Amino acid sequence: MSGAITETAVTIRVDGQEVAVPEGATILDACDAAGVETPTICYGPTLTPVNVCRLCVVELDGSRALVPSCSRPAEEGMVVHTDSERVRHSRKMVLEFLTTGVDVSQADELGQWAEHYGADPSRYVPGGETMDEPVRVQDNLYIRDYDKCVLCYRCVEACGDDAQHTYAISVAGRGFGARISAEFDVTLPESACVYCGNCVAVCPTNALQFKTEFDLRQADDWRPEDQTVTQTVCSYCGVGCNLELHVQDNQIVKCTSPDDHDVTSGNLCIKGRFGWNYV
Amino acid sequence: MIFLWGSNAREAHPIFFHHVLKGIDNGARMYCVDPRYTSSAQFSDVWVGIDVGTDIALANGIGREIIHAGLANQDFIAHSTQGFEAYAASVEPFTPEAVAAICGIPAEVVVEMAHAYATADKAQILWTLGITEHHNAVDNVLSLCNLALLTGHVGRWGSGLVPLRGQNNVQGGGDMGAIPNKFPGFASVDDPDHRARFEAAYGRELNPVPGLHLTLMFEAMEQGDLRALYVIGENPADSEADALHARAQLESLDILVVQDILMTRTAEMADVVLPASVAWAESEGTVTSSERRVQRVRPAVSPPGQARHDIDILCDMAEAMGDELGPRDPKAAWDELRSLSAMHGGMAWERLEAAGGLQWPCPDEDHPGSAFLHGWLWADDLEGRDPAPFSVLEHEGPTEELSEKFPLRLTTGRALDSYNTGVQSGQYDSPIRFAGLDMNTHDAAGLGIADGDRVRVCSPRGSVEMNARVVSSLPRGLAFTTLHHPELIDVNVLTNPEWDPKSGTAEFKAAAVRVELVVAPETAGASVG
Amino acid sequence: MPPRLRGHPLADLHFGDDQPTEAEQAAIDAIVPQANAASIVETERIVRGGRSRRHGLRHLLLPVLHSLQHEIGWISPGGLNGAAERLGVPPAEAYGVATFYELLRTADPGHRDDVVHVCVDPACALAGNNELRTTLDADGARVHDSPCLGQCERAPALFVQGVGRPDRVPADDNEEFQLPQAGDPGLRVLRRVGVVDPTSLESYREHGGYEALATAIEMGPDAVIAVISDSGLSGRGGAAFPTGIKWRAVADEPGADKHVVANCDESEPGTFKDRILCEQDPFAVIESMTIAGLATGASHGWIYIRGEYPRATARLESAIAQARASGLLGDDVAGSGQRFDIELRRGAGAYICGEETALFNSIEGFRGEPRNKPPFPTTHGLFSQPTAVNNPETLINALDIVIDGPDTYRSLGTERSPGTRLFCLSGRIGVPGLYEVPFGTPLGDLLDLAGGPVGSLAAVLLGGAAGVFVGPDSLDMPLTLEDTREASATLGSGVVTVFDDTVDMEAVVVRIAEFFRDESCGQCVPCRVGTQRQHEVLVELQGSDKPLTKQRSELIDDMALAMVDASICGLGHTAASAVRSALSLGLIGNSQ
Ligand SMILES: Cc1cc2nc3c(=O)[nH]c(=O)nc-3n(C[C@H](O)[C@H](O)[C@H](O)COP(=O)(O)O)c2cc1C
Ligand code: SF4
Ligand code: SF4
Ligand code: SF4
Ligand code: FES
Ligand code: FES
């Protein structure tokens, strides 16, 4: 969002503070505008909100249940509470729920929020169900470690309608057994995947990871603190996608694209995403 | 409405195609004109599989139908164009039936496309090398421009003509004057006024004779007029059509200097190799995309070994020849450009730092850049310019006719995971890579070829072996391969060097070939045939 | 076989090498012939397709998958590819849809035998489903555990999913239908049930059928909606939303691309009323939908019927065909000049698809995942168009209201809960079955009407799994929306399951928790994980002789609150209610 306030602004109250946002903006946008930080998992600035994680819920006067701030459009006169007892409770529970079944060790933001809300995954019945999936290493470009998957649907959206339109993966199964999967769980090279890596780019938990990162982590040599990120332009076709090269020890270790660039919206194709190892 | 014409943007320009898809999701209809049923075609409402090299006939036929159906935009034609009468007369022979016969498609579809395009609220024509890699490339492009002029689908938000650039900085190279007859900003070498401006800035006299483009250089080599070649970041030994011939020319040079980031086949032939840094990841500078967007590239890693920045190599080279090119500083070079090229005038280095860059023309520092170019066509006074001319164009098929000896049409193209001759893209481990020949099911069956068989492809210039993949996405009589894997499949041994006098581009898209089954598998490689 | 359109093998609709067998292809052709495929190969040079075409076909995905499952016994990779290709649906998405439904199998069962579904929910557990299962197993039947099959009045229930043969419910074969209240003049909604010949339009007309439609056409849409609003009719599907307001909202939306959906997915454990209505009075469902269509200006009607209801499906299909043949459906409904027609869709084993927005996704060919509301169905429903969804019982009530006016309707029931209500009685009760009583009838009276509890009453489950347990002290509670709400109970879909003191209530409660765990769509975290963890806590508790600890009790409450507050849909909102009521009644968790 540009933050520019158009003529048709709506004013809402967030934790007692009045904020004006353009029509069509969400409650989350309004929270941002009010300087209130909101935890999110399934929300992505370039994706259509699916509002499934329910971490971003807020209390809205006049609504019986809490509402997901990431998808609910702000309407004139809304009164929203982001730090009420109920909000804190639901956020804490969502974080507890996620941390009981999923390996969130590489989901840094999630971990910070879990601490913030005092989530305590240890109070559940020992030996409960977990994701329990093997790491899928099926090629040299990226890996899938669904033990880390919180089923936020972001990869499915990026692979599908929101960007890539390839639809190589979907949610399969139901309930706690739901998993991200290609048809019949075929390997990625057998699937429709075209390796744009746009799913990797949006995954909030590192369940999808560059193979380079995975290998470095396996070797215990992944050092984000020693990495630089440089913005440049893809060397291949004439579209002019911007790249962010992540470099460790003078080696490119992964490649992303800025979300706020209106050519790419964070997306790349296989060449831009992975075609750099000759450097 | 979208015309995707001679472009497999889904694979060749994937992120651009994301924007096309947004349009389709929002309800745009797409017609895809392409000899192949490509992955782009899969998203189209109608795929129209014309014969290779019959684009002008189709465009003329569509134009004729638009005129006959009374769908031409008369006001626009009167106000903003010239040469309509001659154009209208020239397309008269291209009745739907005539076009159908030439292009190999049903006549009704010609009519349907004409109506769809002319009656659309907004319409765009997008094309790539399917239009330009022909001996009559420029004419092909002009034939599409005619359609836009006929309907007024140009120079307005949502309507226009969109050529897609194959390389990250072809646009930029042209803008910077890396064309034989132009200075930066498209000033003409042979125009004394233009030249004077550059002479003043550079403080010396400049050669008034335009240089040779690549294809002419090869002719000059053949005639012995050109004896020394300095190649910067190109791989003509693989990328030129009729590659065996091209390599022979390179061999015959007195001296070949190659400046490149990797050891290409051309570099292997060189007398001197100057290792360069990777422009987009190891040095400072700018590149310009298809939409005239100038953006910054920045060094993320330091160049390996003896590799040096292009700017340093060039300056050293000049110094060795006893000259000074100015400070070795990309920003200074850029400022020099801005002072000479009006359309870049407003693009201060600092402005380019911001994500997204700027689209030229951008004449002054307050100018936001230009999203589209031909808005002037709609201005009351045409901004003082001449009305846009229609072009009268003849249809000529591919120069190389099919014959009993060479009965199949071979066309070449690009695949999603690879890039040009594969110098860079060949280095990463793509799980979706395929190197081989795509053949129509019936053609393959007729030749006793099954999926995965090894075949020999012969053209009048040479023969190459590769694996066959049998698909139904090609019409009968057409075969396809990519040019990405010269180390495995030396495809340009086969392609036709016949080139377009107006652009210098060779007819990569249409060679006549014969395919035969190789019984005993041999190792891949080219042999003169 | 039609020419297989293989694009560049990297193309987006990428199909693996598996091809449909001839039988699979035939199963696909039966639903979507090649001529209607997503990609039409007109000639070798012209292919018509595109995204809008694909979108237009997507709603046939579930029917095609049903067809494959039915003919082959599972959905094989080749079959899935064939279906996906015919409809232009990406195979991964088709797989995502297929794996959503309990009746669709995506692993080779290794046989082509029918599958016998045995109900494991409370009424059937009380009626000896275990013994039944043992017998079936011994006979070599392919037995599959199933949630409530909607036949609780004739427990233990079976449903036979045919492979290459029609689906069957054995109990249908030897049943002469009779209502416990047969002949009672007080019956409204059930008036024709067991009396009319459900296979005959003529018989329906003889019993007053299609008088309401004629009246409605005469009255005009506004007046129809006005009487429905004045009557105070509220939804019988569980949420009790005022029907008049819903219809008005849809009527106020512009255009005719609007929908009326009869929600016959009935899967709330303990509910069987909609099956009986659809089987015994199918024309009433059709007629009332037609009235809703004319009143709201919707030209499309849909019946979404539970996949385990073969007889109801057949009768509704026949009723639709007869109505269409008589000009009561189609381009000019009964001379009204308005178009209304009905398509029937079968569910495939997913409780969640009864939730209205999940139902839309299911019809549209997507996974049956509920949508966040707002926007509401009345503006963004089926195919994102304005939609009125109603339960069949709600709809049938509209017939009498149109004919007799709102006052007659209001003469029964209470001020805030006017009219009558259907109740599904099962479990430890004298005469299980479907009953109709005026709102406000005390619970005890209803039980007495059904022959009284068997044994010593321990608890009654009101509203099904999504409802609450009440104890013997609630027999005086008048069955109205307002009284149940006050007692923190619910009428839900009219379930009344009766338990005596011999029943292992812990097992019942654990099963309810398991039901929610199994039936959660899995989309939102509070419900996907909450139902799982809730089940784990109860399993831990089950059979342990230790009393419920404070920590565990807190955890259950904490989870419940998050599910109620933060889940997307009613399933998550209600997943803890029966469990918590059981705890507070002391049915489980006490030192035993
Ligand atoms: C999990 C769940 C399952 C539901 N199942 C049904 C059902 O099977 N039949 C039904 O009529 N309503 C069901 N509903 C309620 C519907 O969402 C919707 O409210 C109802 O069909 C509206 O019709 P009514 O207003 O006539 O009651 C269900 C709701 C939820 C949350
Ligand atoms: S793999 Fe990552 S992006 Fe995909 S659903 Fe799981 S957590 Fe989300
Ligand atoms: S990422 Fe792909 S689409 Fe973008 S510039 Fe590079 S090659 Fe082109
Ligand atoms: S509450 Fe449960 S059933 Fe409803 S959307 Fe969420 S996960 Fe799905
Ligand atoms: S971020 Fe809003 S529901 Fe997930
Ligand atoms: S059919 Fe078994 S409980 Fe309903």
Side-chain angles (χ1 to χ4, degrees), chain B residues 10-11 25 37 39 42-51 103-104 106 109 112 432 469 472-473 475-476, chain C residues 4-14 39 42-55:
Chain B
R10 179 59 162 163
E11 297 192 40
D25 286 347
Y37 185 70
S39 43
Q42 286 205 345
F43 285 95
S44 63
D45 293 278
V46 186
W47 166 66
V48 182
I50 60 169
D51 275 340
C103 303
V109 174
E112 179 185 333
I432 51 177
R469 180 166 64 178
S472 57
S473 56
R476 267 172 251 224
Chain C
R4 210 172 147 73
L5 230 193
R6 280 192 176 264
H8 188 289
L10 272 189
D12 297 85
L13 279 179
H14 169 103
S39 282
E42 255 174 35
T43 74
E44 203 176 61
R45 303 298 191 89
I46 303 291
V47 175
R48 285 181 195 272
R51 287 179 51 80
S52 56
R53 211 186 145 74
R54 288 184 211 164
H55 283 310

Side-chain angles (χ1 to χ4, degrees), chain C residues 352 370 520-524 527-528 567-569 571-572:
Chain C
I352 191 59
S520 163
C521 81
Q523 189 185 192
C524 64
C527 171
R528 176 178 78 238
S567 296
I568 292 181
C569 85
L571 189 148

Side-chain angles (χ1 to χ4, degrees), chain C residues 235-237 246 263 265-266 354-356 389-391 394 570-571:
Chain C
R236 307 292 201 249
K246 190 183 282 189
N263 184 347
D265 193 46
E266 181 167 80
E355 197 283 335
E356 53 197 8
V389 193
N390 279 116
N391 178 268
T394 317
L571 189 148

Side-chain angles (χ1 to χ4, degrees), chain A residues 234 236-237 239-241 268-269 271-272, chain B residues 14-15:
Chain A
C234 174
Y236 291 105
C237 85
V239 175
C241 299
L268 294 172
C269 80
K271 299 184 284 295
Chain B
I15 296 300

Side-chain angles (χ1 to χ4, degrees), chain A residues 153-231:
Chain A
Y153 288 50
R154 283 166 66 161
C155 53
V156 177
E157 290 208 291
C159 186
D161 284 332
D162 275 347
Q164 184 53 31
H165 289 70
T166 289
Y167 312 95
I169 45 174
S170 169
V171 181
R174 191 166 80 190
F176 201 84
R179 295 289 183 274
I180 306 294
S181 174
E183 63 276 14
F184 295 95
D185 196 21
V186 297
T187 65
L188 274 191
E190 288 174 273
S191 77
C193 174
V194 292
Y195 290 90
C196 62
N198 293 331
C199 54
V200 181
V202 295
C203 180
T205 62
N206 235 8
L208 308 176
Q209 233 175 81
F210 276 74
K211 178 72 167 20
T212 36
E213 173 174 350
F214 178 74
D215 288 343
L216 284 168
R217 283 184 185 273
Q218 293 292 95
D220 210 8
D221 194 26
W222 179 254
R223 289 173 277 113
E225 63 286 0
D226 295 338
Q227 292 171 8
T228 57
V229 180
T230 308
Q231 190 162 331

